Amino acid sequence: MRTTYTSIKDITPKTRDWKIKMLVVEKSPKRTSQHSSVKYQNLMLVDEQGNRLQATIFGNDVDSREDTLHIFQSYYIINAYVKLLDPKYRMDSHQYQWVINAKTIIEEIPENEDQVQMPKYNLIPIDELDAYKDSIAEIDLLAIALHIKPPKEITLTNGPATLQEIYVIDQSFNPISLTMWGRFVQDECQKISDIIETKPIILATKLKVRSYNGVSLSSRPTSAFTINPVIPEAKPLQRCCRAYVEVDDGTGKLPAVMFGEFAEEALGHSAIDFMNHTGEEHLPFIEKMAAECSENQWMIQVAVDPEVFNQQRHKNFNVISISPVQYGPELE
């Protein structure tokens, strides 16, 4: 008779004919091993008691499981292969890893049953990152991807490395650089680059806070990234204030997007004002606001990824800094 458990701690390599309800909280892209041509995919699962467990799918099972084990969904997992996890690959305290293979049964949770509760993330706002600079702490971040630079190769003391920078903002509206390293460039960065014009929301866990260029972020081998996560904390960012404008320097015009405090400063109104004046009935307010903004002059810095820009249907630069032009007294 099959036994249903509520804790992964009760399941060992000696446990037989078992079943447990699990939530998928992380799911990596399909990857290929550096030392062989074997395909694999890593997952992080959480049980009903909040215990976290690393799972892996290998080879042909990666493709055969493509239509299941979706991020932030719960499943019954039956008879995965349980094995000891090498401590050097361990991301959490649990000593075992599961291999989900052809013999593993994955079942949808019935509609009348509760899903596994979502974990709580230790989300740190960008304007509070300074306290974690150059420490051993790993932080979680929820932010909008604003701009992505092309990947580049550099040489470190231990050999060549690939990196790619993404500029992100959150509700503090202070853009910051997130440097992605190694396999994240090939997989996650490519997905973000493909949809950068939509300004996707990124949930990043276990990041390093660095003192490079003031404060910046960096991926670690244990980091995980979810694009456009369906979690309650993402809803305020989905409503994040943004304005589409034209920037005119007297020689021509550029289409651009301003976010958060940049839009509030240039247009002279708060994000709440924008939200309360949407729709055609508020067109006079919007026209008046635009006319007032056009009377002023600004020093504006914009950024764009040329490859992404050329692929966009609606081509927009991103405003990454803005300040009013200050004029001194006229000389007599």
Side-chain angles (χ1 to χ4, degrees):
M1 182 176 176
R2 182 170 294 152
T3 303
T4 300
Y5 296 96
T6 59
S7 172
I8 58 172
K9 296 179 180 179
D10 297 324
I11 300 172
T12 73
K14 295 182 179 180
T15 309
R16 295 291 180 267
D17 204 14
W18 54 267
K19 175 179 180 178
I20 188 170
K21 187 187 295 184
M22 303 293 287
L23 173 71
V24 181
V25 294
E26 294 174 12
K27 187 175 184 179
S28 77
K30 301 174 185 179
R31 307 191 196 277
T32 301
S33 174
Q34 293 180 343
H35 307 294
S36 68
S37 59
V38 175
K39 188 188 300 183
Y40 70 95
Q41 194 166 28
N42 292 325
L43 301 95
M44 184 68 72
L45 309 176
V46 174
D47 68 19
E48 293 179 275
Q49 297 184 14
N51 301 307
R52 297 166 68 91
L53 175 138
Q54 293 167 241
T56 307
I57 311 173
F58 290 102
N60 295 332
D61 294 320
V62 172
D63 292 329
S64 67
R65 300 288 186 180
E66 188 171 14
D67 294 329
T68 187
L69 294 172
H70 298 298
I71 192 79
F72 300 131
Q73 291 191 22
S74 299
Y75 299 89
Y76 277 116
I77 299 181
I78 302 167
N79 295 336
Y81 175 61
V82 184
K83 57 181 288 189
L84 277 172
L85 178 60
D86 190 327
K88 68 181 179 181
Y89 299 120
R90 192 176 296 167
M91 299 181 188
D92 278 277
S93 59
H94 193 60
Q95 62 179 321
Y96 296 119
Q97 174 191 23
W98 293 356
V99 176
I100 297 173
N101 55 31
K103 296 180 179 180
T104 307
I105 301 171
I106 308 295
E107 293 182 349
E108 302 278 346
I109 302 297
E111 292 183 1
N112 61 348
E113 285 192 25
D114 292 332
Q115 301 284 313
V116 177
Q117 188 174 0
M118 288 284 295
K120 297 294 184 182
Y121 292 96
N122 182 31
L123 298 173
I124 307 298
I126 288 176
D127 58 3
E128 296 179 14
L129 291 177
D130 195 69
Y132 301 87
K133 190 165 54 178
D134 295 328
S135 72
I136 61 173
E138 294 180 328
I139 67 98
D140 301 339
L141 178 78
L142 188 67
I144 295 173
L146 178 64
H147 170 67
I148 186 166
K149 289 186 173 182
K152 62 180 179 181
E153 301 284 339
I154 63 170
T155 301
L156 302 175
T157 54
N158 57 347
T162 306
L163 66 87
Q164 192 163 7
E165 288 182 279
I166 304 174
Y167 285 93
V168 298
I169 59 170
D170 63 6
Q171 289 175 287
S172 61
F173 300 125
N174 295 314
I176 193 172
S177 172
L178 165 60
T179 302
M180 307 279 271
W181 294 88
R183 69 177 187 269
F184 297 122
V185 174
Q186 178 182 350
D187 298 316
E188 283 85 350
C189 281
Q190 183 59 57
K191 289 187 175 182
I192 294 169
S193 181
D194 289 343
I195 59 172
I196 192 64
E197 71 273 12
T198 68
K199 305 298 179 279
I201 295 174
I202 310 299
L203 172 62
T205 60
K206 298 184 178 179
L207 298 178
K208 170 74 173 175
V209 184
R210 303 165 59 216
S211 56
Y212 177 72
N213 283 341
V215 179
S216 63
L217 295 166
S218 180
S219 68
R220 308 190 70 161
T222 56
S223 297
F225 300 89
T226 304
I227 302 171
N228 289 326
V230 185
I231 57 175
E233 294 89 342
K235 290 183 179 179
L237 278 179
Q238 293 168 351
R239 299 190 295 266
C240 179
C241 170
R242 67 182 75 185
Y244 293 86
V245 299
E246 281 189 333
V247 179
D248 186 350
D249 68 352
T251 64
K253 298 180 180 180
L254 290 176
V257 186
M258 293 189 297
F259 289 84
E261 65 179 7
F262 299 148
E264 291 178 329
E265 180 176 2
L267 299 176
H269 292 271
S270 70
I272 295 175
D273 286 338
F274 296 143
M275 289 188 290
N276 290 335
H277 291 85
T278 57
E280 291 185 4
E281 68 273 20
H282 295 293
L283 188 59
F285 169 85
I286 297 171
E287 290 175 340
K288 181 176 182 292
M289 178 178 59
E292 292 172 350
C293 177
S294 299
E295 294 175 358
N296 301 319
Q297 291 187 325
W298 307 86
M299 291 292 293
I300 298 175
Q301 183 180 3
V302 298
V304 70
D305 182 336
E307 293 185 8
V308 174
F309 183 77
N310 290 332
Q311 297 170 6
Q312 291 179 5
R313 180 180 176 186
H314 303 288
K315 301 180 184 296
N316 293 296
F317 289 76
N318 296 308
V319 175
I320 59 175
S321 72
I322 183 171
S323 59
V325 174
Q326 302 290 338
Y327 292 100
E330 288 191 63
L331 295 176
E332 295 184 358

